[in-house]
């Protein structure tokens, strides 16, 4: 079933014209609703077509069905205002200890708080991550953003 979905997805991605490509991707998802590449690409195509809210809803729905970091990253990268970031934080809290790695969720939530300029919440989330995450370059980038906002330059 995945092979067939992959073949349909590849064909959909080569359909000329954004409107027909959107329809083709929607058909792939109608036949294989859990096929993640099609859900991600459909959101990308919706954004490119100026239908950002619809893209966000599509990614959020897919995240609830199939929590994956790529969806969190897409949602976070397009969460351009506080209400959208609040909504994403709430969705992530509901997923936190079941479907996604809790450290990854904390990391993304910390970034959302940083995007809002809320340093205490961001620092609390980042401090709650495990030593495994704290050893990664991405952790140090977030830590540096925090310190930059706090005015602690080294």
């Amino acid at each position: 079933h995945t092979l067939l979905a992959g073949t349909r997805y590849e064909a959909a991605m080569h359909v000329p014209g954004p409107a027909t490509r959107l329809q083709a991707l929607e058909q792939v998802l109608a036949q294989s609703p859990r096929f993640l590449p099609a859900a991600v690409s459909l959101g990308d195509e919706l954004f490119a077509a100026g239908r950002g809210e619809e893209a966000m809803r599509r990614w959020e729905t897919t995240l609830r069905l199939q929590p994956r970091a790529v969806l969190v990253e897409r949602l976070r990268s397009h969460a351009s205002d506080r209400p959208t970031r609040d909504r994403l934080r709430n969705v992530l809290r509901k997923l936190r200890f079941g479907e996604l790695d809790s450290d990854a969720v904390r990391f993304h939530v910390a970034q959302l708080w940083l995007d809002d300029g809320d340093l205490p919440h961001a620092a609390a989330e980042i401090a709650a991550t495990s030593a495994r995450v704290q050893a990664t370059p991405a952790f140090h980038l977030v830590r540096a953003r925090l310190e930059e906002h706090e005015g602690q330059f080294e």
Side-chain angles (χ1 to χ4, degrees), residues 22 37 39 81 92:
L22 276 170
D81 59 29
L92 290 173

Side-chain angles (χ1 to χ4, degrees), residues 12 17-27 41-42 45-46 49 51:
T20 51
R21 192 167 34 256
L22 276 170
Q23 288 176 334
L25 287 167
E26 287 170 348
Q27 288 174 349
S41 293
L42 178 59
E45 291 289 331
L46 287 167
R51 295 162 57 186

